Structures are given as structure tokens and as C-alpha cells.
Amino acid sequence: VAGTFEDQQDSFGDLSTLAVLIIVLVFMVMAAHFDSLTYPLIIMFSVPFAVIGVLMSLFFSGTSLSVMSLLGCIMLIGIVVHNGFVLLDYIMLCRERGMAVLNSVVTAGKSRLRPVLMTTMTTILGMIPMAVGTGQGAEMWRPMGVSVIGGLTVSTILTLVLVPVLYAMFAGTGIKRQRRKMHKAR
């Protein structure tokens, strides 16, 4: 039992290191894409909500935290970041076209709701057989299905609200800062 526990702790440590590296690399790639540190930070705010969703789904389903559920968490990082990226990229496109902050947020929310929901629903529906499977080896794969379904459900709902709100807050602060500079320049 002690050897299995040590192996599990080593695996948890390795997967935690992997998750941190993935988050750092994704942040760096988005910072290079957006030429800003603010926009990747806005998108990364949705990742902790995925972890909250994973823990809630594991608790309510009575499934224990395992290596497979942690692999599901690592998968979620990419999916959640993609959903936030799709939404934020269109918001910025609307801003470049000359729309006001709130108009661009609303337009992007309406326009990108369907792609975000389609990505989420296909992943969730694809994980349902894994989460409810009863065949041979299902007890090993079930935690991954449960963690992805729960984390993706919670994070998608909050991403659709959190990313636009944070963008509007940061953009409003940036506009106020620009106005102060222009006022001082006069």
C-alpha cells in the first residue's frame, strides 16, 4: 500500500508540474499573439473555474481524485482557453472596427455564443459514454469523463460571462488612462 501511495503522489506531482507548464506556455503564446499581457490574463481567469467544476463534479458523483481525473483537468486547460480566446478575439476585432466597448462585447457575445457552445457540447457529449460506462476498465476512465464534463460545464457558463465583463473593466480602465494623458497633454 505504501508503494502505491508513493507512486500516486509522484504522479500527482508530475501532473501538477505539467499543468503549471502548460498554463505558462499557453500564457506566453497568447501574450505573443495579442502583444499584451492583459488579454491573456483575462482568458486565464476562466481556468480556475474549470478546476472548481472538476472538484464539484467529482464530489457529487462520488468519484475520487485520481491520475485520470487530473489528466481530464489538463485537457480542460486547452478547451477553456480556446473558448475564452474565441470570444476575446472577436471582441478585439469589433473594437478594431470602431465599435464601442460595450457594443463590441455584446456583439461578440451574440456572434460567438454558438461556436463556444458547439465546442463545449461536442466535448461533453463525447465524454458521456466514458463517464457512465460500465464495461471492462470503465472504473479507470470514469474519473476523466466526470471531471471533463463538470469542469467544462462550469467553466463555459462562467467564461461566457466572466471574459466579457473583465474585458469591459480593463478596457474602461485603459480608456480612462488615455483620457487622462490627453487631458494632461492639453
Side-chain angles (χ1 to χ4, degrees):
V1 175
T4 305
F5 179 74
E6 289 176 6
D7 288 343
Q8 185 180 20
Q9 293 304 315
D10 289 342
S11 297
F12 280 3
D14 292 343
L15 288 174
S16 300
T17 304
L18 178 65
V20 169
L21 283 173
I22 289 172
I23 289 172
V24 168
L25 289 174
V26 166
F27 186 85
M28 288 171 42
V29 168
M30 284 191 302
H33 175 75
F34 289 124
D35 289 331
S36 170
L37 294 176
T38 307
Y39 301 131
L41 187 65
I42 291 171
I43 294 173
M44 287 299 186
F45 267 110
S46 57
V47 173
F49 293 108
V51 175
I52 292 170
V54 166
L55 294 176
M56 285 175 33
S57 66
L58 290 175
F59 176 74
F60 289 127
S61 68
T63 308
S64 62
L65 185 65
S66 65
V67 172
M68 296 308 281
S69 59
L70 286 179
L71 283 174
C73 288
I74 290 173
M75 274 179 32
L76 277 174
I77 293 171
I79 299 168
V80 169
V81 165
H82 177 264
N83 286 344
F85 184 85
V86 166
L87 189 59
L88 190 66
D89 194 42
Y90 197 75
I91 290 172
M92 291 177 55
L93 180 68
C94 290
R95 290 283 294 150
E96 289 173 3
R97 291 179 179 170
M99 296 178 98
V101 173
L102 292 179
N103 287 339
S104 63
V105 166
V106 170
T107 302
K110 286 180 184 177
S111 176
R112 294 299 178 220
L113 177 65
R114 187 182 308 156
V116 168
L117 288 180
M118 285 174 55
T119 302
T120 301
M121 292 307 295
T122 54
T123 307
I124 288 174
L125 292 174
M127 288 290 167
I128 286 176
M130 189 182 292
V132 298
T134 57
Q136 188 175 5
E139 65 276 353
M140 185 176 100
W141 294 101
R142 186 175 296 125
M144 179 187 280
V146 169
S147 65
V148 170
I149 289 171
L152 201 53
T153 302
V154 170
S155 69
T156 299
I157 292 168
L158 291 174
T159 297
L160 290 171
V161 175
L162 186 71
V163 169
V165 167
L166 287 174
Y167 179 83
M169 287 173 45
F170 280 107
T173 304
I175 290 171
K176 288 178 186 177
R177 190 176 305 134
Q178 287 177 348
R179 286 181 183 165
R180 283 187 206 133
K181 286 182 182 178
M182 287 173 49
H183 184 68
K184 287 181 183 179
R186 286 187 201 171

